Amino acid sequence: PEFYKYCCDMGMKDKIVNMTNGVTPRRWVHCANPALSAIFTKYLGSHQWLTDMTLLKGMLKFKDDSKLHAEWMGMKRIAKA
């Protein structure tokens, strides 16, 4: 924030441009945690969430599903090993 303010004060407010490296959160999940990706795909019924992150809201209908909770905790245990 201080450097940005400095650049603005110096008349260079376009010096800092916010860009990402192109990795989307859904692609990161799919590559970094395939077990979590598989759970999403299983409960959402397709891989479409990989191209539309808003589809992950569909997981909310399973928030009280004990079977999902067990799979989720199992996935977390394996990921920490």
Side-chain angles (χ1 to χ4, degrees):
E2 293 162 6
F3 183 69
Y4 179 72
K5 183 179 179 328
Y6 168 79
C7 289
C8 288
D9 291 345
M10 298 302 292
M12 302 180 292
K13 66 180 180 179
D14 295 332
K15 183 172 180 78
I16 297 175
V17 178
N18 185 15
M19 294 179 139
T20 67
N21 63 0
V23 176
T24 63
R26 57 190 181 271
R27 279 183 33 217
W28 182 87
V29 167
H30 186 64
C31 293
N33 194 336
L36 179 58
S37 176
I39 289 173
F40 287 154
T41 299
K42 176 182 175 181
Y43 281 85
L44 295 173
S46 73
H47 280 98
Q48 287 183 329
W49 66 272
L50 287 168
T51 57
D52 183 356
M53 193 167 201
T54 63
L55 295 177
L56 289 174
K57 289 181 182 179
M59 292 298 291
L60 290 173
K61 65 184 169 189
F62 302 105
K63 68 181 179 183
D64 297 321
D65 186 324
S66 59
K67 191 173 171 185
L68 170 61
H69 289 216
E71 286 182 57
W72 193 279
M73 293 310 292
M75 175 272 306
K76 284 180 68 171
R77 266 193 288 301
I78 291 170
K80 291 184 181 212

